[in-house]
Amino acid sequence: MKDKHKTYVTSPALPDLDEFIPFLEKIWQTKQLTNNGPFHQQLEKEMADYLGVKYVSLFANGTLSLLTALQVLKITGEVITTPYSFVATTHALWWNKIKPVFVDVDPVYGNLDPERIEKAITPQTTAILPVHVYGNPCRMERIQKIADTYGLKVIYDAAHAFGNKYKGQSILNWGDLSTLSFHATKPFTTMEGGAIICHDEKTKQRIDYLKNFGFADEATVMAPGINSKMNEMQAALGLLQLQHHQANIKKRQQIADIYDNELNDVKGIFLLDHPTELENYNNSYFPIFVDEEKYGRSRDELYFSLKKEGIYGRRYFYPLISDFPPYRGLGSPKSENLPNAKRLSNRVICLPIYSGLDKKDIKRIINLIKK
Ligand SMILES: *Cc1c(COP(=O)(O)O)cnc(C)c1O
């Protein structure tokens, strides 16, 4: 029997291999494979310009950029964060021996709800770690105000927000630090990869020491650093990806528009809203939210029926991070006490979206949802 045609939630946008070969030849010639090589330096500069931020420090992956960001700011004790994210957000706290304190999200965007942050602050609280879920901006003005009042740091997990702008400037300019992921599943990918965005040269310097074992110079170690450097192959790919990124985003927007038009009046299917000040949206994900009563089928019924037809959506983010045993064991709030996060988590399916997604497949997905 012929294998059924499979459509996954994403598929990476890659440049032509021909474009990449000259970069590889250069690496083979110079034999500079890592340690702040020429492509690494060039990508840090070009990416900062492209994003409209002051400083980019490249990392081997997004999780290591989160781990390191917490070290840079010497975060300890308790950190207020969201249960509605990819597990790596909280794992980064765990690896730094920091206690995650989960606070509920807003019901519309699924971002950490600032109105609930203040109640969760204790004498041990040192920072807030929100996520720009699906690339929608958190309520950054309000979060900053709380952080300033209580003397807390703010680190944004901006893994979904590469290139997204809010009120005319990069979302990444908010907070003390923001972290990015260039994993294969993200719209901008270097296969694996990540970055920390910061706003002053001294911080950039400390980040760069910490990602290279803490070496400040040949004979000085300023702190117990780690090895989380991006290599030259990743950086070379990143330079090419940057050239193609705007075209990639445009194609993703066209697909999102089709989904929007076709699904927005399906009874019981709700689509994600965006603030009007959001620009250059990357459509990292296309989540739909299934209201079982109105739709007539549960989220999981739809999810598994799509799967049977070879459509591999993903339930991002289900279960909630606070429900995973290591975090439940920490005395995290039960999901009943995180009602907005629980509701989104029980309803969400992220539909396939990527620049190479076939129009016929989009139609098929839409028809299966409408059925
Ligand atoms: C992808 C992702 C990460 C992890 O990034 P990696 O590069 O895979 O380590 C962290 N946080 C969020 C919200 C993500 O989506």
Side-chain angles (χ1 to χ4, degrees):
M1 207 173 83
K2 205 167 147 267
D3 266 353
K4 195 172 242 164
H5 173 61
K6 285 179 181 158
T7 305
Y8 294 99
V9 71
T10 191
S11 170
L14 290 171
D16 283 343
L17 192 53
D18 288 349
E19 286 184 87
F20 194 42
I21 302 295
F23 287 86
L24 292 179
E25 284 171 349
K26 189 87 180 278
I27 294 171
W28 258 250
Q29 249 166 37
T30 61
K31 297 209 172 355
Q32 178 128 29
L33 309 184
T34 184
N35 284 35
N36 200 27
F39 290 138
H40 183 284
Q41 290 180 33
Q42 194 185 341
L43 183 58
E44 286 196 342
K45 288 210 178 70
E46 287 189 17
M47 189 180 284
D49 286 347
Y50 177 79
L51 294 172
V53 301
K54 277 235 173 81
Y55 298 100
V56 172
S57 289
L58 296 170
F59 278 76
N61 63 55
T63 301
L64 284 168
S65 70
L66 272 167
L67 283 182
T68 310
L70 292 159
Q71 288 280 324
V72 172
L73 300 178
K74 299 195 159 97
I75 305 301
T76 57
E78 293 179 6
V79 168
I80 293 169
T81 191
T82 172
Y84 193 67
S85 179
F86 182 59
V87 281
T89 311
T90 308
H91 284 351
L93 296 171
W94 179 272
W95 278 72
N96 276 292
K97 297 197 158 50
I98 295 163
K99 185 183 174 195
V101 174
F102 296 104
V103 159
D104 203 8
V105 299
D106 76 72
V108 177
Y109 300 128
N111 283 333
L112 191 62
D113 182 355
E115 304 316 323
R116 294 165 205 261
I117 290 174
E118 266 178 303
K119 273 192 229 124
I121 294 172
T122 75
Q124 280 71 49
T125 310
T126 55
I128 308 168
L129 176 58
V131 179
H132 302 296
V133 177
Y134 310 128
N136 267 332
C138 292
R139 282 178 54 205
M140 300 169 298
E141 289 102 333
R142 184 81 185 98
I143 289 172
Q144 194 56 55
K145 197 148 179 242
I146 295 166
D148 290 344
T149 304
Y150 291 89
L152 307 175
K153 302 285 188 194
V154 183
I155 300 172
Y156 285 105
D157 179 342
H160 305 172
F162 184 89
N164 295 1
K165 301 204 163 182
Y166 176 70
K167 294 186 178 171
Q169 70 154 310
S170 174
I171 290 179
L172 307 169
N173 284 329
W174 288 84
D176 293 281
L177 300 173
S178 291
T179 64
L180 293 168
S181 163
F182 311 140
H183 184 253
T185 54
K186 307 296 202 270
F188 178 92
T189 180
T190 56
M191 301 200 177
E192 294 269 5
I196 300 181
I197 308 302
C198 73
H199 322 303
D200 68 90
E201 203 179 336
K202 277 192 188 139
T203 306
K204 156 85 172 147
Q205 184 85 92
R206 281 173 34 74
I207 295 167
D208 291 346
Y209 294 157
L210 279 171
K211 75 178 190 187
N212 188 33
F213 309 99
F215 279 113
D217 60 46
E218 216 180 295
T220 314
V221 167
M222 45 69 83
I226 194 167
N227 178 5
S228 47
K229 302 184 298 288
M230 177 180 274
N231 69 47
E232 284 292 275
M233 283 221 266
Q234 289 172 288
L237 181 59
L239 285 167
L240 275 175
Q241 296 292 56
L242 217 47
Q243 291 173 22
H244 296 292
H245 190 248
Q246 240 9 76
N248 178 18
I249 294 308
K250 208 170 146 196
K251 285 189 195 143
R252 298 177 78 99
Q253 187 58 53
Q254 285 163 356
I255 295 163
D257 289 343
I258 300 175
Y259 278 139
D260 262 330
N261 287 333
E262 295 285 337
L263 296 176
N264 88 60
D265 55 3
V266 179
K267 210 171 148 217
I269 298 290
F270 294 88
L271 306 181
L272 183 68
D273 242 329
H274 304 289
T276 49
E277 305 96 329
L278 180 64
E279 292 162 57
N280 205 43
Y281 185 54
N282 63 15
N283 286 283
S284 282
Y285 301 92
F286 196 93
I288 61 169
F289 301 92
V290 182
D291 179 335
E292 180 173 351
E293 257 173 49
K294 293 199 177 99
Y295 182 61
R297 276 192 285 172
S298 72
R299 184 275 306 271
D300 283 347
E301 281 175 279
L302 176 58
Y303 174 72
F304 287 110
S305 75
L306 288 171
K307 223 171 179 174
K308 249 211 233 129
E309 296 295 328
I311 311 293
Y312 291 73
R314 292 298 295 268
R315 290 169 292 180
Y316 291 141
F317 296 101
Y318 170 86
L320 293 179
I321 302 176
S322 46
D323 279 342
F324 288 119
Y327 300 118
R328 219 171 40 213
L330 270 188
S332 299
K334 293 204 166 62
S335 53
E336 293 82 69
N337 296 320
L338 302 162
N340 293 333
K342 185 184 179 186
R343 192 158 158 274
L344 293 171
S345 180
N346 285 339
R347 291 180 172 203
V348 71
I349 304 176
C350 287
L351 299 181
I353 186 164
Y354 51 90
S355 58
L357 183 58
D358 205 81
K359 289 255 157 64
K360 280 200 301 256
D361 287 325
I362 306 171
K363 263 260 135 16
R364 207 159 72 83
I365 295 164
I366 290 165
N367 289 337
L368 287 165
I369 295 170
K370 282 184 170 172
K371 202 163 83 179

